[in-house]
Each structure stands twice: as C-alpha cells, then as structure tokens.
Amino acid sequence: MDCGGVFVKYVLFIFNILFVICGILLIIFGSLMVSEIKNFSSVDETFAANSVAIIILVLGCLIFLVSFIGCCGAIRENSCGLTTYSVVMLGLFLCQIALIIYVWVNHVQIRQSLDTVVKKIWDQRNSSDKILMDTLQRSLKCCGLHGFADYGITYPASCCDSPTNGYCSMTVIFKSGCKSAVDSLWDTNVNIIKYAGLGVLVVELVAFIFACCLANQTRNNLRRQNY
C-alpha cells in the first residue's frame, strides 16, 4: 500500500476510534439516566418521561456499532467491512441532509409543535403525568404554562430551587412560563442545530470518501496478489 493509502487508513482508523469512545460514553451516560427511571403505570408514560435518556442510549449504541465496523475494516484492510461502513455512512449522510432541510424549512412549525406538547403536558399536570410538568419546570427553570400566576396562589416545589414544605414562595419562584422558556430554548439553539448538522455532514462525507478509497485500494491489492 502506498503512502496515500496508509495515510487514509490511519486517519480513518483514528477517526473511528474517537467515535467508538464517544459511543461508549453516550451508552454509559444513557444507561445511568435510564437507571433512574421511576415506576410508572404504563410503558408509554415511562418512555415519555425518559425519552431523552433512551434516545441517548440508542444513539450511543448506533455510533459505537458503525464506528467499530469502520475501525475493524480500516485496520484490517477488509474490503467487505469498509464497503459496509461506506454504505452506512452514505445512508446517514442522506438522512441527515433530509433532516437539516426539514429543520431549515419547518423551524416555525417545529416550534408550534413544541408549544402544543408543552400545552398537553400542562393540561395533564393533575394526572399521573405530573412528573413531566415537574421535570420541565426544573429543567427550564420555568413555572406554569404562561407564568407562575397559572397556579393561583400555591406553587409546586418544582417552580423554584429552594422549596419550603413542598411549596415555593414568591421570593424564589421562577417567573417565566414554560411555553416562553421552550420557545426561547428553540430560538437560541435552532441555528446551532443547523450549522452543527452541516459540520457533521462534512465529517460524514470525508469518512465516506476515505472508506471508499481504502476499500477500492484494498480490492486492487487483492487482485494484484492473485495475478
């Protein structure tokens, strides 16, 4: 294998080693979050309350599996493994293009959908789904749908950082409503999501090209050895 092939081989190997480590860290982090799942009356409630942890765990497993295939294919110069890796990277690349275009075109509709979800969580706050509203309020440091006044004169412990006897006082209560907090979070991060997605696309494209080149060179070397 020439110098260019060796360079591509080890760049691809190091690249995938880093992603294997990222995948393992995500699996550990997601597992720790899932281990904190409380007992709910149904599977739907359990998934709804812990969807972020489950998504992180699944994403970690996917990253680990794909990167492991890339590592093995690169270091062993296995054309089958490299081809499989290339096909998977191409699939991820195309899916991510579609996702970025969707977010770019429909960011307003996504924000409205988030508002609908927050409204539904608020409407179900007195049922068994109360944990969702409490989690939302603690995470975003908000209180009520439009503001703390939505609760009247008694504010739950999740509406502040320092509750007293299970309730919050006016001096420590979160002032903003959860609808505006979610809108603000989305507006702040939507551009980060777009441009970070474009950055990941570039990385995936480079990995795809390197894997294709290395797979092609490996097949050519095998043909030469057979002659």
Side-chain angles (χ1 to χ4, degrees):
M1 186 177 288
D2 58 24
C3 293
V6 172
F7 172 77
V8 168
K9 171 183 174 179
Y10 285 103
V11 167
L12 192 62
F13 176 72
I14 293 170
F15 167 81
N16 282 289
I17 279 290
L18 294 175
F19 271 85
V20 164
I21 294 171
C22 289
I24 292 173
L25 291 175
L26 285 175
I27 291 171
I28 293 172
F29 184 59
S31 298
L32 290 174
M33 292 178 69
V34 170
S35 69
E36 298 298 323
I37 291 178
K38 297 179 175 59
N39 293 321
F40 292 92
S41 59
S42 70
V43 174
D44 291 340
E45 290 175 1
T46 301
F47 182 79
N50 300 276
S51 55
V52 173
I54 294 171
I55 289 170
I56 289 174
L57 183 59
V58 172
L59 182 62
C61 292
L62 180 62
I63 291 173
F64 174 81
L65 181 60
V66 173
S67 301
F68 185 76
I69 293 173
C71 276
C72 293
I75 202 66
R76 294 178 63 85
E77 298 177 20
N78 185 289
S79 60
C80 180
L82 288 168
T83 302
T84 302
Y85 177 75
S86 300
V87 171
V88 173
M89 291 304 293
L90 179 61
L92 291 175
F93 179 79
L94 295 175
C95 290
Q96 196 160 328
I97 287 178
L99 180 61
I100 291 173
I101 292 173
Y102 178 79
V103 172
W104 216 294
V105 173
N106 298 295
H107 64 277
V108 175
Q109 290 86 338
I110 293 173
R111 175 177 169 171
Q112 292 171 348
S113 297
L114 290 173
D115 290 343
T116 301
V117 171
V118 174
K119 178 67 166 59
K120 186 176 292 186
I121 292 173
W122 169 255
D123 291 339
Q124 296 175 349
R125 68 190 183 281
N126 293 322
S127 66
S128 58
D129 292 328
K130 182 179 181 294
I131 183 74
L132 296 178
M133 193 65 202
D134 287 340
T135 301
L136 185 66
Q137 290 176 154
R138 289 193 180 97
S139 301
L140 300 182
K141 295 189 180 300
C142 57
C143 185
L145 182 61
H146 301 102
F148 63 91
D150 291 337
Y151 279 110
I153 59 173
T154 304
Y155 314 112
S158 58
C159 275
C160 63
D161 289 325
S162 304
T164 303
N165 297 324
Y167 296 97
C168 294
S169 65
M170 282 294 296
T171 56
V172 295
I173 200 170
F174 303 137
K175 299 299 190 291
S176 63
C178 289
K179 182 176 178 295
S180 61
V182 169
D183 289 344
S184 177
L185 181 67
W186 174 251
D187 292 339
T188 302
N189 291 287
V190 63
N191 286 328
I192 297 175
I193 294 171
K194 292 175 186 175
Y195 295 113
L198 290 175
V200 174
L201 275 180
V202 173
V203 173
E204 289 175 348
L205 181 60
V206 171
F208 168 71
I209 293 172
F210 275 25
C212 286
C213 292
L214 188 58
N216 185 57
Q217 189 167 19
T218 301
R219 281 192 293 268
N220 289 337
N221 289 338
L222 288 173
R223 290 193 192 100
R224 293 192 192 100
Q225 291 172 5
N226 292 329
Y227 288 136

